Amino acid sequence: MRKIRINLLPGDGIGPEVVREGVNALRRLAELDGGVAFEFNELPGGCRYYLEHGRMMPDDGLRTLADCDAILLGAVGFPGVPDHVSLRELLLPIRVEFDQYVNLRPVRLLPGLTSPLRNDRIDFTVIRENSEGEYCGEGRFEPDDAGAVQLARFTRRGTERIIRYAFDYAVRHRLNRVLSATKSNALNYSMVFWDRVFAEVSTEFPGVAAEKMHIDALAGYFIMHPDRLQVVVADNLFGDILTDLGSAMLGSIGISPSGNLNPEGRFPSMFEPIHGSAPDIAGRGIANPLGTLWAVVMLLAHLGLDDWSERLMRAIEHALAAGTARTRDIGGSATTAQAAAAVITELERMA
């Protein structure tokens, strides 16, 4: 019996509601197949914790969080706690301390979803640098509120490894095009450096077409020609913006997952839906759980449970196509629990 330890950070707002459904799916998979036992450990942390204790997690939070095979995160954010506090005192420390330098976000129009675009051939992956760039937190406020300086740090190591990961990903998935997001005409240090490293790494992969596009043009390209995209690699800021756009292209930001990966396995990787905590609908039972269930698909694949990962993905697709897993944000009427139950029903049919 293989034992897998999953640390849970349900977080704020709808986070606990969707994490609950992710845990239910994992438990049902284990019951149906056997051979694997999941151990779940729910940890404190988030904005409510901050309001009570003055910090986003306990002093030993990172050490405790590291003791697992993978992390499932709900959402972080709550009125009364500035967004930069919740990001810099919880999410960024996890990504940096655990060297989760790859943010992997699939953008795929699943059966049963209706894109606001006319083009329904949407199936690509964005690979975002997740540990430095504009999110390094360096800068200063100038005296007398005269202004502010925000620095973006691009290291050779950080830039090269995320770009190489993107090309490796393309090769592993039998894809032949990697498109780099840049803005080197205006950002004459960071993006010129990024472009230079991209060009150097691309020579190691002669079978993969390497192209670059300015971020403003690329945003339009996402809308006009999503069917031409395969793998997009971007720095931290551009990748963050592009992937929210990608999710909106699917009809709802509630549908998409994200993996914060330490590919070498020296630290646990963390999986989450990309949506926020949505405090306005928390407790109403209408949040979309599919972003979390898709994140669980990624978690299972990361742990080498490819068969389970594929089965859960098929169950999501079948339930969406049947209309039983469509919550209000994607044109249905299912509650959070009903949508998740519909996916589990499909899992049971496959058993």
Side-chain angles (χ1 to χ4, degrees), residues 140-180:
R140 68 180 186 274
F141 291 108
E142 296 181 345
D144 301 320
D145 204 28
V149 175
Q150 186 81 44
L151 300 180
R153 183 166 297 281
F154 289 72
T155 66
R156 161 67 66 167
R157 175 174 177 265
T159 304
E160 188 173 293
R161 68 182 180 176
I162 193 64
I163 291 172
R164 181 168 286 108
Y165 184 93
F167 279 97
D168 283 333
Y169 182 92
V171 171
R172 289 198 311 272
H173 291 83
R174 299 181 181 181
L175 302 171
N176 59 16
R177 186 186 187 196
V178 174
L179 181 58
S180 170

Side-chain angles (χ1 to χ4, degrees), residues 260-277:
N260 303 277
L261 308 181
N262 174 248
E264 295 77 19
R266 294 185 297 112
F267 301 97
S269 294
M270 181 169 67
F271 301 86
E272 59 179 313
I274 75 165
H275 62 66
S277 60

Side-chain angles (χ1 to χ4, degrees), residues 57 62 86-99:
M57 67 172 72
L62 287 176
S86 58
L87 180 66
R88 297 216 163 270
E89 295 190 19
L90 183 66
L91 297 179
L92 288 187
I94 293 171
R95 295 173 186 173
V96 173
E97 291 297 322
F98 295 168
D99 203 20

Side-chain angles (χ1 to χ4, degrees), residues 84 87-88 92 95-96 128-140 149-155 158-159 162 181-184 186-194 215 233-242:
H84 69 274
L87 180 66
R88 297 216 163 270
L92 288 187
R95 295 173 186 173
V96 173
R128 165 191 170 192
E129 202 289 317
N130 207 36
S131 62
E132 53 180 39
E134 299 84 357
Y135 291 18
C136 70
E138 298 179 28
R140 68 180 186 274
V149 175
Q150 186 81 44
L151 300 180
R153 183 166 297 281
F154 289 72
T155 66
T159 304
I162 193 64
T182 185
K183 190 59 178 172
S184 49
L187 304 176
N188 56 320
Y189 290 103
S190 60
M191 284 290 108
V192 168
F193 176 76
W194 174 279
I215 183 65
V233 63
D235 72 304
N236 216 335
L237 179 60
F238 292 168
D240 194 1
I241 296 168
L242 286 173

